[in-house]
Each structure stands twice: as C-alpha cells, then as structure tokens.
Amino acid sequence: QVQLVESGGGSVQAGGSLRLSCAASGYTRGSYCMAWFRQAPGKARERVTSIGPGGGSTYYADSVKGRFTISRDNAKNTVYLQMISLKPEDTAMYYCAAGWGTWCSSPNYWGQGTQVTVSS
C-alpha cells in the first residue's frame, strides 16, 4: 500500500515562498508518477503540477507556470513543490498524489493534505 505524507505548508504573505515535501513509502522507487493537487474552499480539486516516474515529464497548470517547480528525489522517495511569488489565490489545501503512467491526471493514491494560506 502506497502511503504519502505531506509537509511544509503554512501561512505566508503574498510574494513569499514555500516548499512542500511529500514522503512516499510502500512502492518501488521511481515507478509512479507524482503530482500535487489543490483544493480551495468551494472549488473543485485541481491538478497543479505533476512529474513522471523518471522525472523527465512535467506538467504545470497555467496559473502556476513560472512560479511553481516540481521535483523528485527517487533515492529518498520524496517529491517537492517549490512555490515562489505566492498569491492569495494560491490559498488551498495541497495534496500529494501518486499513480500509474506519466501525467497523474487520475492518481491512485493520496496524501492527507497540507494547508497553504497566502495573505495579501
């Protein structure tokens, strides 16, 4: 069973930065795509970014391009989300996810989430 544990959320002012981490266990290193989704109150969950099993294929939602960077360290079974130039509209619960394939559009496994709050 794949287990995902997020950390690194918090409260920052607009323009600030945060780095989220997701530690994975229970699966063969580098065999899953990984993704970050987010869900703001009253809104649908959206895929923010994803990275393929080998780290060579990445996806970013238009709203975060140029500000967010996803990376993974398969030796540590960890995926990261570096967020800069944060905006109030980035406020949401951020979820780490893992799945088969390259793009993680429909992940099989989810973490519990970590809250990110950006104040203006």
Side-chain angles (χ1 to χ4, degrees):
Q1 181 71 17
V2 176
Q3 295 181 329
L4 305 171
V5 179
E6 304 98 332
S7 61
S11 297
V12 296
Q13 291 191 328
S17 301
L18 282 173
R19 188 174 85 152
L20 307 183
S21 298
C22 174
S25 61
Y27 70 98
T28 302
R29 293 172 180 174
S31 60
Y32 283 81
C33 62
M34 302 292 293
W36 289 95
F37 285 68
R38 68 185 180 187
Q39 187 167 22
K43 295 188 177 181
R45 186 174 296 189
E46 65 169 336
R47 182 171 53 131
V48 175
T49 180
S50 65
I51 188 166
S57 299
T58 56
Y59 160 87
Y60 293 95
D62 288 342
S63 58
V64 306
K65 283 181 180 177
R67 300 188 300 119
F68 289 14
T69 303
I70 190 170
S71 62
R72 66 189 297 165
D73 184 338
N74 285 341
K76 296 181 178 180
N77 271 5
T78 301
V79 64
Y80 305 97
L81 179 61
Q82 179 67 51
M83 305 183 290
I84 65 171
S85 302
L86 283 161
K87 304 175 181 180
E89 50 263 45
D90 294 318
T91 295
M93 185 70 79
Y94 283 70
Y95 297 91
C96 178
W100 298 109
T102 300
W103 303 110
C104 266
S105 56
S106 298
N108 303 90
Y109 304 100
W110 295 87
Q112 293 299 305
T114 186
Q115 178 68 37
V116 172
T117 302
V118 184
S119 58
S120 58

